[in-house]
Amino acid sequence: MTEPLLKVDNVSKRFGGVQAVGGVSLELAPAEIVGIIGPNGAGKTSFFNLISGMFFTDTGSVNFDGVDITRQNPVKRARNGIGRTFQVVKPFTGMTVAENVMVPLLVKSASVTAARRGAMELLDDLGIANIADAPSESLTLAQRKRVEVARALATGPKLLLLDEVLAGLNSREVVDVLPFVTRVRDRGVAILMIEHIVSAVMEVSDRMMVLDHGQQIAFGDPEEVIKDPKVVEAYLGTSE
């Protein structure tokens, strides 16, 4: 049996009187996509913050690629292979798309030329090489979100945390972006994906987890999870 790339064991985080995450566990295999859904305030982004190191856990542990990273800072986790996007997309202004992607590549590249070549290869692989020389200020929201993913991939992650990359997109843009997500997985990258568009998450996820009030209420096959009475109640307020 393949060892999990990520193992989150019973993690919790409290802010004052609010239990943001309460005893959540998860195992993620290499190149697997797990979708995370739940109502607003369910603790989804807080859970991401515990994995990426933005917050430290109050209880529980985080193991990544065979190493306990529970007390590692975000920089070390990123260097060890955890990439992340954020809900609010903030490209580097005054720079082109290619230059935005070159920034993380320059950490490891021998030259600007090598970084530019790596950025163009990545943009081409993800289907957005046509906007490589566009200024970041000119991009649509959908384009900015793609660039955010490309920039995260430029760090060379084994695991990518996607925080609502579909939020704010119209139905056509959602259809365009979903294949982009699966292309990331095809690069051998495991994905945890927070989204509110349940149908979209189901389409690309191998498994799906549901959080509500910081608790995991369902986890497994997407078709079965979405029919779980606890999930129906969380979203609709009734299990009838």
Side-chain angles (χ1 to χ4, degrees):
M1 182 177 178
T2 303
E3 287 294 316
L5 175 66
L6 176 72
K7 184 176 181 180
V8 182
D9 185 23
N10 197 36
V11 297
S12 297
K13 186 66 179 180
R14 178 179 291 275
F15 299 98
V18 178
Q19 185 77 57
V21 180
V24 176
S25 297
L26 166 73
E27 290 190 5
L28 180 71
E32 181 183 20
I33 299 179
V34 169
I36 301 177
I37 66 172
N40 288 329
K44 302 182 296 296
T45 295
S46 292
F47 183 61
F48 264 22
N49 286 336
L50 296 178
I51 296 171
S52 64
M54 300 296 289
F55 301 154
F56 284 164
T57 65
D58 292 337
T59 64
S61 62
V62 182
N63 187 287
F64 179 69
D65 204 15
V67 176
D68 187 338
I69 63 168
T70 309
R71 288 295 180 266
Q72 279 187 4
N73 63 44
V75 173
K76 190 164 186 180
R77 295 191 201 199
R79 287 175 176 168
N80 288 339
I82 297 179
R84 173 166 187 187
T85 69
F86 292 85
Q87 290 181 26
V88 180
V89 184
K90 294 182 178 179
F92 300 124
T93 57
M95 301 172 68
T96 66
V97 167
E99 289 168 342
N100 264 264
V101 181
M102 287 171 62
V103 170
L105 288 170
L106 283 167
V107 175
K108 299 180 180 178
S109 297
S111 67
V112 172
T113 300
R116 168 81 182 187
R117 182 168 58 249
M120 292 305 300
E121 290 174 355
L122 184 56
L123 293 171
D124 183 61
D125 188 32
L126 297 178
I128 52 175
N130 61 310
I131 60 170
D133 295 318
S136 62
E137 296 89 342
S138 71
L139 303 181
T140 65
L141 177 60
Q143 290 172 330
R144 292 201 306 273
K145 294 207 169 192
R146 292 187 185 207
V147 173
E148 174 93 344
V149 175
R151 193 169 57 181
L153 284 174
T155 66
K158 300 174 184 177
L159 166 64
L160 184 60
L161 309 179
L162 298 178
D163 198 345
E164 298 194 24
V165 294
L166 303 180
L169 305 186
N170 61 41
S171 57
R172 182 182 181 86
E173 290 169 333
V174 168
V175 170
D176 289 341
V177 169
L178 282 180
F180 182 79
V181 173
T182 57
R183 282 203 297 273
V184 172
R185 190 259 293 279
D186 291 343
R187 294 171 59 87
V189 179
I191 296 173
L192 282 179
M193 180 179 182
I194 294 173
E195 285 299 341
H196 283 289
I197 306 175
V198 176
S199 59
V201 181
M202 292 179 66
E203 185 173 335
V204 298
S205 297
D206 299 304
R207 293 184 295 160
M208 199 156 69
M209 180 170 76
V210 187
L211 297 179
D212 187 31
H213 294 96
Q215 305 288 326
Q216 182 188 113
I217 61 171
F219 188 32
D221 178 82
E223 293 289 345
E224 295 178 3
V225 163
I226 205 63
K227 297 175 184 176
D228 189 303
K230 295 189 296 294
V231 176
V232 175
E233 184 173 4
Y235 273 95
L236 304 179
T238 175
S239 59
E240 295 299 318

